[in-house]
Amino acid sequence: MSYVRLSAPDLGRMQAFLEDFGMVLAHRDAQRLYMRGVGESPFLHVTELGAPGAVSFGYQLSENADLAALAKLPGAHGIESPDVPGGGQRVRLRDPNGFWLELVTGQQRVAALPPRVLVRGPDGESRSLGPARVVRIAHTAYATPNLADVIGWYQRTLGLLPTDELFVGQADNVIGQFNRVDRGDELVDHHVIFLLRGQRAGMHHVSYQVEGVDDIFFGYDHMAHREHDHVRGIGRHALGSQIFNYWMSPYEQMHEHWISHEKLNASSRFNRIQIGEGMSYDTGEKPPERFVKQATPIVEWPAGTGF
């Protein structure tokens, strides 16, 4: 993952939410807001001025990616050089849900921000106030009424590998599948995309890795103190061994604080997992109904070509 591109009617309100969530302003103009983390990516989150929703999802390609070949895929746009922090090139195409994907290469890295000081000074104490420190974007989850077709499309188009599949009752009653990047023997995250069955297509959530597990708790205290909309957590996903906490933006777009130490490679086993109703499987409280049914609607690509 490289970034998400969402849409909101008030960029200032969205910036305040994302700063409390743990991001840093990279660039803002009258039409869009770019936010970064403490890592080397020039930005991790874009907000377009407009009706609330989800616009597109950016994926960083390998350096030897053939953009010209990708531009020939059905429904794809030609190679573009968007005016964004970090520059680079991209190809845009739609998935079967109608989501825009931005396949990106050539972005320039930026200097990472200084790490949190972990050694107590002569006047220090064991407290850390303020937001979590977001390092990178980890994954996104999409709801779709056409689960099998969408899973197949992502695996064919992006070369993804299935990691774990969830079913309720009988094994053919599949409600979701986690997919990871294929990097051969190189270790990767449990998933880069989670596809789940829903009544309508939409973004379920976007997940951001934080600097350390303490950030999950620092972030909770800070967000709760600022009276942001808490959805679920703190808990642990049984699949991927991920510590999580979920927050809703002011415009019904769910964001996750996340950290995990489980890694896989191309030879890691694919498992089919039976779970309870309502996605009940993880450590912690049962997922609330709003979490299970969450799906931020797709909105049209904003007018203009300068981004």
Side-chain angles (χ1 to χ4, degrees):
M1 282 299 298
S2 185
Y3 54 86
V4 296
R5 189 184 298 272
L6 305 182
S7 183
D10 187 332
L11 297 184
R13 192 176 180 193
M14 197 67 170
Q15 179 178 339
F17 166 79
L18 293 170
E19 287 176 341
D20 284 343
F21 186 79
M23 296 190 203
V24 178
L25 178 65
H27 175 75
R28 178 177 167 182
D29 57 35
Q31 294 300 314
R32 60 193 56 90
L33 167 71
Y34 295 90
M35 301 293 289
R36 62 167 290 186
V38 300
E40 296 181 345
S41 178
F43 61 95
L44 303 173
H45 194 293
V46 189
T47 307
E48 300 284 341
L49 184 64
V55 179
S56 68
F57 306 92
Y59 294 90
Q60 185 73 34
L61 300 173
S62 60
E63 291 302 316
N64 61 353
D66 189 344
L67 283 179
L70 291 170
K72 296 177 182 177
L73 290 172
H77 284 225
I79 298 173
E80 300 171 325
S81 299
D83 182 14
V84 299
Q89 293 183 307
R90 74 179 176 202
V91 169
R92 289 183 289 154
L93 73 157
R94 284 187 187 268
D95 79 356
N97 289 310
F99 285 135
W100 281 105
L101 305 185
E102 301 180 53
L103 307 181
V104 181
T105 188
Q107 278 189 328
Q108 297 298 310
R109 303 289 90 183
V110 297
L113 300 182
R116 177 183 285 112
V117 176
L118 298 178
V119 177
R120 183 188 297 182
D123 299 320
E125 56 183 323
S126 296
R127 298 178 63 200
S128 181
L129 303 178
R133 288 170 58 89
V134 167
V135 176
R136 65 181 179 98
I137 184 170
H139 60 263
T140 42
Y142 312 143
T144 174
N146 304 306
L147 183 60
D149 290 343
V150 172
I151 288 173
W153 186 90
Y154 272 93
Q155 290 178 356
R156 291 190 306 272
T157 305
L158 299 186
L160 302 181
L161 298 175
T163 300
D164 289 312
E165 187 170 88
L166 308 180
F167 68 92
V168 174
Q170 300 299 315
D172 60 353
N173 186 25
V174 177
I175 67 165
Q177 190 183 95
F178 297 93
N179 283 263
R180 68 186 185 278
V181 176
D182 182 358
R183 300 286 289 177
D185 291 335
E186 183 179 332
L187 297 178
V188 300
D189 289 342
H190 176 268
H191 61 285
V192 69
I193 294 176
F194 176 44
L195 300 167
L196 68 152
R197 191 174 68 200
Q199 293 183 351
R200 59 186 176 89
M203 183 188 80
H204 185 266
H205 72 270
V206 54
S207 177
Y208 288 91
Q209 180 182 320
V210 293
E211 193 170 62
V213 69
D214 285 345
D215 285 271
I216 304 286
F217 295 88
F218 298 155
Y220 178 85
D221 290 342
H222 184 75
M223 296 284 281
H225 180 72
R226 298 298 181 94
E227 299 184 339
H228 289 291
D229 186 4
H230 185 240
V231 180
R232 184 187 178 198
I234 298 171
R236 175 185 174 273
H237 289 310
L239 301 176
S241 190
Q242 301 151 14
I243 309 301
F244 65 80
N245 204 20
Y246 292 89
W247 299 89
M248 197 71 76
S249 82
Y251 304 105
E252 296 299 309
Q253 300 140 328
M254 195 155 67
H255 292 61
E256 179 189 20
H257 282 148
W258 172 96
I259 193 165
S260 172
H261 295 292
E262 182 180 22
K263 298 293 183 181
L264 300 90
N265 59 27
S267 64
S268 296
R269 179 179 173 179
F270 169 56
N271 292 313
R272 290 182 169 89
I273 312 293
Q274 184 175 20
I275 67 171
E277 295 288 346
M279 296 170 61
S280 179
Y281 189 75
D282 298 327
T283 302
E285 81 278 13
K286 182 180 178 181
E289 185 176 9
R290 69 185 299 215
F291 178 88
V292 176
K293 295 184 176 180
Q294 160 67 15
T296 299
I298 305 163
V299 295
E300 286 302 312
W301 190 273
T305 58
F307 58 94

